[in-house]
């Protein structure tokens, strides 16, 4: 027998570790990103359901997962935009809560009924290698050149830099192999987390990403 669960939602739904996607108005797109983050001794995964359009007149949504489980989402009034993320998943949690395959979505009330099928896959693009600065490096310049090996069959490169009060993001062409962090971004004697990642678009807003995470500390100047 298929299991059906009914949930009321404000912004985020959490059901036994499963963060349910919220659906959009008729014709709206739901962008899905599955991502793998590789650190020194840890590999974690995330799944993001990103609703780009404004919710209008939708009272609830039915989401049927590949394993036959159905989640019914009751949408509260005045929710305009939703970005739902399940992060820091182990491989076992990814497989359990976000199985591969098609997720069938139906929007209600019936006079507005619309359907969409979205897909989740556990196949990820290659992870960037030979990152410079290296993991744990100290006395790093305040204007370092970040380098990585060239990768094929990808659509873009992205960098994410955090530390102190900084959040710095940039997307680069697929053939890029380096990026110079400009002056004024990094502070002396500060530890930063740097993500170098790649994206592959699956069409209809669905994206697969792989990233390597390193930590470094700037020079005391």
């Amino acid at each position: 027998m298929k299991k059906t669960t009914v949930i009321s939602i404000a912004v985020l739904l959490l059901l036994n570790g499963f963060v349910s996607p919220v659906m959009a108005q008729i014709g709206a797109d739901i962008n899905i990103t599955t991502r793998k983050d590789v650190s020194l001794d840890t590999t974690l995964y995330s799944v993001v359901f990103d609703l780009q359009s404004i919710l209008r007149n939708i009272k609830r949504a039915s989401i049927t997962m590949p394993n036959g489980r159905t989640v019914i989402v009751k949408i509260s009034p005045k929710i305009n935009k939703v970005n739902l993320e399940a992060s820091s998943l182990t491989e076992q949690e990814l497989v359990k809560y976000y199985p591969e395959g098609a997720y069938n979505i139906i929007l209600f009330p019936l006079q507005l009924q619309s359907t969409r099928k979205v897909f989740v896959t556990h196949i990820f693009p290659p992870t960037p290698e030979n990152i410079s600065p290296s993991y744990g490096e100290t006395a790093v310049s305040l204007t370092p050149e970040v380098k990585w090996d060239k990768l094929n069959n990808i659509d873009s490169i992205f960098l994410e830099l955090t530390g102190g009060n900084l959040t710095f993001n940039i997307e680069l062409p697929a053939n890029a192999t380096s990026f110079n962090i400009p002056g004024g971004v990094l502070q002396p004697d500060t530890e930063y987390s740097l993500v170098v990642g790649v994206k592959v678009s699956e069409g209809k807003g669905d994206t697969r990403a792989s990233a390597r995470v390193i930590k470094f500390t700037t020079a005391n100047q």
Side-chain angles (χ1 to χ4, degrees), residues 97-204:
Y97 298 126
Y98 293 89
E100 288 187 304
Y103 289 66
N104 293 296
I105 300 154
I106 303 176
L107 308 179
F108 298 91
L110 291 178
Q111 64 265 32
L112 298 174
Q113 183 170 329
S114 180
T115 64
R116 185 182 166 192
K117 184 178 291 186
V118 296
F119 296 87
V120 169
T121 178
H122 299 162
I123 300 173
F124 295 89
T127 305
E129 301 283 354
N130 297 320
I131 309 297
S132 175
S134 60
Y135 194 102
E137 188 171 340
T138 58
V140 173
S141 164
L142 297 184
T143 55
E145 182 181 17
V146 181
K147 299 179 180 179
W148 56 90
D149 286 350
K150 181 174 172 32
L151 290 164
N152 299 317
N153 302 316
I154 61 173
D155 292 324
S156 64
I157 303 276
F158 64 92
L159 304 184
E160 298 171 352
L161 184 61
T162 56
N165 296 320
L166 173 69
T167 299
F168 179 87
N169 302 312
I170 190 168
E171 190 154 336
L172 303 169
N175 60 356
T177 57
S178 66
F179 177 76
N180 288 93
I181 297 177
V185 173
L186 302 181
Q187 298 299 313
D189 196 26
T190 303
E191 184 181 75
Y192 290 94
S193 176
L194 171 66
V195 173
V196 180
V198 301
K199 292 181 181 179
V200 175
S201 176
E202 298 299 318
K204 292 186 178 181

Side-chain angles (χ1 to χ4, degrees), residues 9-27:
I9 178 168
V11 173
L12 184 65
L13 297 172
L14 190 59
L15 174 63
N16 296 329
F18 173 74
V19 182
S20 298
V22 180
M23 301 310 121
Q25 65 186 40
I26 305 308

Side-chain angles (χ1 to χ4, degrees), residues 52-73:
Q52 298 287 349
S53 299
I54 295 175
L55 296 166
R56 294 183 187 278
N57 302 320
I58 301 301
K59 303 297 184 183
R60 62 188 174 94
S62 171
I63 307 105
T64 301
M65 300 169 62
N67 58 12
R69 184 178 188 179
T70 296
V71 176
I72 296 176
V73 181

